[in-house]
Amino acid sequence: MGLSEPRPAAPAGGPAPGVPAVLAVDAGNSKTDVALLAADGTVLGAARGGGFRPPVVGVAAAVDALAETVARAHADATGDAAAPGGSLPPVRQVMACLANADLPVEEEQLAAALTGRGWGDEVTVQNDTFAILRAGLTEDDGDGAPRGVAVVCGAGINCAGLLPDGRTARFPAIGRLSGDWGGGGGLSEEALWHAARAEDGRGEPTRLRTALPAHFGLDSMYALIEALHLGRIPYARRLELTPVLFRVAAEGDAVADSLVARMAEEVVTMAVVALRRLDLLGRPAPVLLGGSILAAGHPLLDDRITGLLARRAPLAVPRVVRARPVLGAALLGLDALGAGPEAHRTARRHFEPAAPSGVPRDVPGPASGGAGRTRPVGTGPAPD
């Protein structure tokens, strides 16, 4: 998808401090985080729930599960638990950054479903990539005028860009159908493909042939193929093979290294296209890298991404995001209220422990887990 239209500016102000004004939702495939914030950025309550998967369970069931998490966040904020299915006092702005909201029509369907719950006067639904983008944009980037591009590489891959006037650049990001390649799912499947062909002689030799089955305690690719095909090993566990791929690549295996190189190419291609759509190639702009693959600190991948960006977008500033995405949803909600810098600082302080003495603020400290921080590319793995 291309460039969106600018959005009108939101009026400043809002409910008094201590009164919920923003309902921030970051709902991924595996977990959901919900936070209630006052207009001054104070986090009043929060809750965590399970994954948000409308394509699997349907929109109604997915929103029902989300409603339970929202109710627990309200209870955390007020100490007053709502009855199951009961109404909750509306906030001014619901900002929901949702997995599987990949197309505008899906955003519209989900926004209608959330609006029907009466959770807020205004409801905005965006893809969850925007939560990581906004969480990675720091105060130094300009809270009053957030701009930048984020590439998220977890189980899949996605990219989004944002300008201060609300224009965005994004991709459908629904898999091979929309031209995507990579992420943990894509990398693991490519690794399995090459390993299978290496075992039976159709492909190049690669140490993936023995390393992949060994991860599951098996002695051959044939045994691993059989176990995955018959369900003895759940197919979702193929994602465990991505770190194996990076390890084998770091040991000098040419096939594994070629997959890492292609992953770097895909990340940079998405970032450069988004920068170009937003007319950001000619000025300094943050390129924020998030998701489990990009946050893991694989030197082969980090170095290639940095080198490719330096050649194709020399003014881009790559940083790895370790922020909790719900922070991004909260900041987007405050943006929609026209909140000032102090409100953004207050929200960040909730999610960002102070940096330990002597540790730069953009490098996560060991005690904090890196929550709500960014780090430069190439500084090594971020802490768990």
Side-chain angles (χ1 to χ4, degrees):
M1 288 183 287
L3 185 66
S4 68
E5 293 298 319
R7 65 165 181 255
V19 176
V22 174
L23 173 61
V25 179
D26 171 65
N29 282 292
S30 60
K31 63 177 174 60
T32 295
D33 281 316
V34 173
L36 277 166
L37 294 89
D40 66 355
T42 302
V43 177
L44 304 174
R48 172 166 287 187
F52 185 78
R53 299 184 294 168
V56 177
V57 303
V59 170
V63 174
D64 282 344
L66 177 59
E68 188 273 334
T69 309
V70 170
R72 286 193 290 108
H74 270 276
D76 187 48
T78 66
D80 183 17
S87 61
L88 296 167
V91 298
R92 182 173 173 188
Q93 176 68 54
V94 176
M95 184 60 66
C97 297
L98 308 178
N100 302 298
D102 297 306
L103 304 173
V105 65
E106 292 172 321
E107 290 179 342
E108 292 168 6
Q109 291 170 346
L110 290 166
L114 268 58
T115 299
R117 299 290 174 140
W119 292 338
D121 299 331
E122 298 289 337
V123 175
T124 302
V125 170
Q126 301 190 67
N127 182 267
D128 56 346
T129 304
F130 284 98
I132 292 180
L133 169 59
R134 189 63 184 89
L137 291 172
T138 67
E139 183 176 2
D140 291 340
D141 296 318
D143 275 327
R147 64 162 49 81
V149 165
V151 182
V152 180
C153 189
I157 185 169
N158 202 349
C159 177
L162 178 67
L163 288 178
D165 63 9
R167 283 180 293 163
T168 63
R170 56 185 296 187
F171 300 84
I174 54 177
R176 290 187 65 84
L177 177 63
S178 57
D180 309 320
W181 187 92
L187 285 172
S188 61
E189 289 178 358
E190 290 287 339
L192 287 164
W193 188 87
H194 283 284
R197 292 173 69 87
E199 179 159 287
D200 64 25
R202 287 177 292 171
E204 299 177 49
T206 171
R207 287 198 291 276
L208 293 170
R209 178 180 66 84
T210 55
L212 300 188
H215 174 78
F216 295 107
L218 302 174
D219 61 4
S220 70
M221 275 302 299
Y222 183 89
L224 178 54
I225 292 165
E226 179 181 278
L228 287 168
H229 178 66
L230 298 178
R232 292 197 293 268
I233 295 176
Y235 189 61
R237 290 193 64 193
R238 75 195 187 284
L239 296 174
E240 298 175 20
L241 298 175
T242 305
V244 180
L245 165 67
F246 280 100
R247 187 187 74 238
V248 172
E251 293 168 354
D253 184 85
V255 170
D257 184 70
S258 72
L259 296 178
V260 175
R262 185 177 176 188
M263 187 72 265
E265 177 72 30
E266 290 291 319
V267 168
V268 172
T269 296
M270 292 186 99
V272 170
V273 169
L275 288 167
R276 183 181 301 117
R277 288 178 178 173
L278 296 172
D279 295 322
L280 290 176
L281 279 175
R283 61 183 300 174
V287 172
L288 305 163
L289 307 172
S292 59
I293 302 297
L294 297 178
H298 299 296
L300 283 178
L301 183 61
D302 285 357
D303 292 347
R304 283 189 168 106
I305 289 172
T306 302
L308 288 170
L309 272 176
R311 291 195 294 274
R312 299 180 191 175
L315 297 181
V317 182
R319 298 199 305 262
V320 175
V321 180
R322 291 288 291 176
R324 291 173 58 189
V326 69
L327 169 61
L331 294 174
L332 286 167
L334 292 171
D335 293 343
L337 292 186
E342 187 55 40
H344 292 86
R345 293 189 199 108
T346 299
R348 282 200 181 90
R349 280 195 293 268
H350 178 87
F351 295 102
E352 298 181 5
S357 176
V359 177
R361 276 202 60 82
D362 62 350
V363 180
S368 73
R373 309 265 182 84
T374 59
R375 66 180 176 87
V377 176
T379 58
D384 295 328

